[in-house]
Amino acid sequence: MNRRKKIKSILTKKNKQANLKANPKKAKPKYISKAEREKMEAAEPSELESTPLLSDETTDQ
């Protein structure tokens, strides 16, 4: 009985791993540290100010 139990547990473990690989859960977004988030937020406003708005250009034509 012990041998059967070991074999069954090994096979079920392999089965579970195969199922997880085939059907991954929705991946969480990569962790971004607080310092990096602040850098990104600081960079965003400067980029937004430098780019012209497309809607204004189309109304002038």
Side-chain angles (χ1 to χ4, degrees):
M1 191 66 177
N2 210 9
R3 189 181 327 159
R4 282 186 186 174
K5 186 177 178 182
K6 282 184 182 180
I7 291 171
K8 184 178 179 186
S9 67
I10 290 171
L11 292 176
T12 55
K13 189 176 181 181
K14 284 185 179 182
N15 234 355
K16 284 183 180 180
Q17 289 296 323
N19 284 336
L20 288 174
K21 250 188 184 178
N23 305 315
K25 292 184 178 180
K26 293 181 181 176
K28 290 183 180 178
K30 186 180 176 185
Y31 176 75
I32 301 173
S33 68
K34 188 175 182 180
E36 289 182 23
R37 279 185 268 146
E38 289 177 358
K39 286 179 188 176
M40 290 170 55
E41 288 176 5
E44 284 179 8
S46 62
E47 290 176 2
L48 293 174
E49 292 172 2
S50 63
T51 57
L53 296 174
L54 295 175
S55 60
D56 292 339
E57 291 177 6
T58 55
T59 56
D60 291 339
Q61 293 175 354

